[in-house]
Amino acid sequence: MMRRGTPEADAQRAIVSALRIALPRNAIVHHCANEVTEAGPRGAKRQAILAGMGVHPGFADLLVISEGRVLFLEVKSAKGRLRPAQDAFRETVLAQGFGWALVRSVDDALGALADHGFTSRVQPSRRIAP
């Protein structure tokens, strides 16, 4: 279901659904809810609590673990850009030898699985790299 004003969330829901179909049943697809959307002092307090509990700035939207492989997926809308914290997170992850990909669609996500050697029951359509 497409909701007005939430293109990244809509894309992420579609991607998660597709990954759950494409990946082996024992695979883990996890969304890391690491931001508070509530404004003001209450939101700031909640964000501070989450930071104290281990929330990492710029952490990818999705973490995929399957058959000994780890892939971080950052979901963006068609025009979305990485924030500096997300760019720094990407560099840190890549420097440690893990997979990371910017995805804007289901096809991008399936392509990222293939690019990083994940076993998938679904083949991506031909795509243009983001």
Side-chain angles (χ1 to χ4, degrees), residues 67-89:
E67 299 176 332
R69 297 185 183 280
V70 175
L71 176 61
F72 295 89
L73 297 176
E74 182 60 44
V75 180
K76 291 289 180 191
S77 66
K79 295 181 182 178
R81 294 178 171 225
L82 294 178
R83 295 187 321 271
Q86 292 169 325
D87 193 37
F89 179 81

Side-chain angles (χ1 to χ4, degrees), residues 8-24:
E8 284 183 18
D10 294 336
Q12 185 166 321
R13 279 188 285 276
I15 289 166
V16 168
S17 293
L19 292 179
R20 288 185 175 149
I21 293 168
L23 290 165

Side-chain angles (χ1 to χ4, degrees), residues 84-98:
Q86 292 169 325
D87 193 37
F89 179 81
R90 177 191 64 200
E91 295 306 317
T92 300
V93 164
L94 292 174
Q96 293 183 40
F98 294 105

Side-chain angles (χ1 to χ4, degrees), residues 27 30 32 38 55 57 59 63 70 72 80 83 87-88 92 109 112 117-118:
H30 178 72
C32 303
E38 186 175 352
V55 166
F59 200 92
L63 172 62
V70 175
F72 295 89
R83 295 187 321 271
D87 193 37
T92 300
F118 280 72

